[in-house]
Amino acid sequence: MNHYDYLIVGAGLYGAVFAQQAKKAGKTCLVIDKRSHIAGNIYTEEVEGIQVHRYGAHIFHTSSKAVWQYVNQFAEFNRYTNSPVANYHGEIYNLPFNMNTFNKMWGVVTPAEAKAKIEEQKREAGITDPKNLEEQAISLVGTDIYEKLIKGYTGKQWGRPCTELPAFIIKRLPVRFTYDNNYFNALYQGIPDGGYTAMVEKMLEGIEVRLNVDYLADRENLNALADKVVYTGPVDAYFGYRLGALQYRSVRFETEVLDTDNYQGNAVVNYTDAETPYTRIIEHKHFEFGTQPKTVISREYSTEWHQGDEPYYPVNDEKNGALYAKYKALADAETKVIFGGRLGEYKYYDMDKVIEAALDVAGKELA
């Protein structure tokens, strides 16, 4: 039986980057994943000639030249720019909040008029020191935008009213006083031609991968196969939830093929009213400017997470932060295990930050 330098648990982005770097450094790796496919949550599969983002929209964006050059070794990226729109009871608004949004909402034309309108609404609301997400949002963009474009959407996303959510969640809410619908400020942005699965496949070229393998169910035998483990699963599950379970939000998708060439005219449409049960609809073909005769859409529903569900977003409040700190202390004491990625580090990670973290850890580990 083969013996490896590294057993990598999880064939998602973090695991694939670490494996690729280890192989490049002359190390042997075995990558395992309990799913039936590689690429973790960035997995894409072809339906009707369209690359479907199975676990929600993933738009690559980074301002790091090093990360951009790294991913471009494995894929050609197109020029896709994320410009989502919001649908509030049939009224359409541009996101992020910018002069197009303010013009549609209030009829204002200049940045000075938009700022004056926000100031007026903030004054009327009497908020000086925002205590929760609602107050923070009103102080950033005024009452009208909060009521139509934030309140219902955020309530659905987190499963609780905005008055019960901490202000910091939207401290970095993009608000622009220019007519610019580009959601990200990143220098580089795009979607890999042919989807993310093909990109991860390239990263894992020449590396042994075993799918449908549950590491936690057969840990002892699997650990015996390698000198060290890179673990990208949930950190609390690794320790058998002995200190209690960390909380996540999960997402449920309803995906269907439609007999039309263009359903909504945009890749991402957010439904910001409280009455529509889903948070957004993704039309996958627009990520690659598709001209196929049919289209594939996914309705996204934000749900409470229960053990056994797919964990998506860590609930980074004080209580969970304190619990994670205790798990991190246990993780740090494991000398032969590296914990990484959004589940291993209980962290909301953009793709470029996952790559950055994996390159950094691999660089130190393999030096």
Side-chain angles (χ1 to χ4, degrees):
M1 188 177 279
N2 287 352
H3 191 81
Y4 305 86
D5 294 311
Y6 293 97
L7 170 70
I8 295 163
V9 180
L13 205 45
Y14 190 101
V17 170
F18 189 97
Q20 186 272 333
Q21 291 289 287
K23 179 179 181 278
K24 195 171 145 191
K27 303 292 184 186
T28 55
C29 299
L30 169 63
V31 178
I32 61 169
D33 202 295
K34 75 174 188 185
R35 287 177 175 168
S36 60
H37 60 74
I38 60 165
N41 277 12
I42 64 169
Y43 174 67
T44 50
E45 66 175 336
E46 195 174 303
V47 178
E48 297 290 339
I50 297 160
Q51 288 297 330
V52 172
H53 296 219
R54 265 294 159 220
Y55 302 92
H58 284 84
I59 296 135
F60 197 87
H61 57 98
T62 186
S63 287
S64 162
K65 195 172 185 179
V67 168
W68 185 242
Q69 286 174 336
Y70 178 78
V71 291
N72 274 271
Q73 298 174 84
F74 310 105
E76 290 272 330
F77 280 75
N78 69 17
R79 57 166 183 82
Y80 178 81
T81 299
N82 190 30
S83 309
V85 296
N87 181 324
Y88 177 78
H89 293 305
E91 293 172 21
I92 299 294
Y93 294 93
N94 288 103
L95 299 173
F97 307 128
N98 66 59
M99 286 305 298
N100 291 309
T101 324
F102 307 142
N103 174 262
K104 176 86 185 259
M105 188 72 73
W106 299 313
V108 298
V109 174
T110 67
E113 289 172 314
K115 285 176 183 173
K117 193 78 182 165
I118 290 169
E119 276 309 310
E120 178 196 326
Q121 295 194 350
K122 187 177 163 183
R123 214 169 31 250
E124 280 169 10
I127 297 158
T128 48
D129 179 23
K131 297 280 191 293
N132 55 43
L133 192 146
E134 178 173 290
E135 294 181 356
Q136 177 70 32
I138 292 170
S139 71
L140 284 172
V141 288
T143 318
D144 292 341
I145 285 178
Y146 167 70
E147 288 290 338
K148 285 190 172 185
L149 303 183
I150 297 173
K151 187 179 181 178
Y153 185 86
T154 308
K156 288 188 290 193
Q157 210 178 13
W158 292 98
R160 41 190 70 76
C162 292
T163 48
E164 291 176 21
L165 290 165
F168 76 80
I169 289 181
I170 60 161
K171 274 233 160 73
R172 294 197 304 273
L173 190 72
V175 180
R176 298 205 187 107
F177 295 94
T178 57
Y179 289 90
D180 179 9
N181 297 325
N182 178 3
Y183 196 83
F184 300 119
N185 281 319
L187 199 52
Y188 309 102
Q189 184 174 174
I191 303 271
D193 289 332
Y196 286 100
T197 305
M199 180 181 93
V200 175
E201 233 162 45
K202 271 254 176 80
M203 289 178 173
L204 292 170
E205 233 165 50
I207 295 163
E208 190 181 341
V209 178
R210 296 183 199 169
L211 300 172
N212 302 303
V213 176
D214 186 343
Y215 171 74
L216 296 176
D218 192 22
R219 187 185 320 207
E220 213 171 297
N221 290 327
L222 290 164
N223 283 350
L225 298 177
D227 296 334
K228 256 187 142 169
V229 174
V230 176
Y231 176 80
T232 69
V235 63
D236 51 352
Y238 180 92
F239 293 105
Y241 304 103
R242 72 170 82 149
L243 305 172
L246 290 162
Q247 286 179 296
Y248 293 89
R249 291 294 289 168
S250 198
V251 184
R252 181 171 66 79
F253 302 96
E254 279 177 7
T255 298
E256 57 177 315
V257 177
L258 301 177
D259 206 1
T260 176
D261 67 336
N262 189 358
Y263 174 73
Q264 63 184 16
N266 206 45
V268 183
V269 177
N270 290 359
Y271 284 77
T272 59
D273 61 277
E275 293 73 31
T276 304
Y278 39 85
T279 51
R280 58 185 186 169
I281 296 180
I282 308 299
E283 187 169 10
H284 301 270
K285 72 190 306 176
H286 296 306
F287 289 128
E288 296 192 54
F289 318 108
T291 55
Q292 299 88 345
K294 293 188 179 183
T295 195
V296 182
I297 64 163
S298 298
R299 290 181 188 84
E300 233 172 81
Y301 297 81
S302 186
T303 59
E304 282 294 335
W305 175 81
H306 305 284
Q307 271 184 46
D309 295 343
E310 190 55 50
Y312 278 82
Y313 307 110
V315 179
N316 289 134
D317 58 12
E318 260 175 69
K319 186 182 82 171
N320 284 289
L323 180 56
Y324 170 64
K326 292 176 183 169
Y327 275 121
K328 186 175 184 328
L330 291 179
D332 290 345
E334 297 271 316
T335 53
K336 291 195 169 178
V337 185
I338 294 164
F339 291 80
R342 70 192 171 89
L343 302 179
E345 297 173 67
Y346 195 64
K347 195 171 183 177
Y348 181 79
Y349 258 137
D350 282 332
M351 286 181 283
D352 64 323
K353 298 298 181 201
V354 171
I355 290 168
E356 223 163 53
L359 287 173
D360 184 49
V361 168
K364 288 171 185 160
E365 174 69 20
L366 302 162

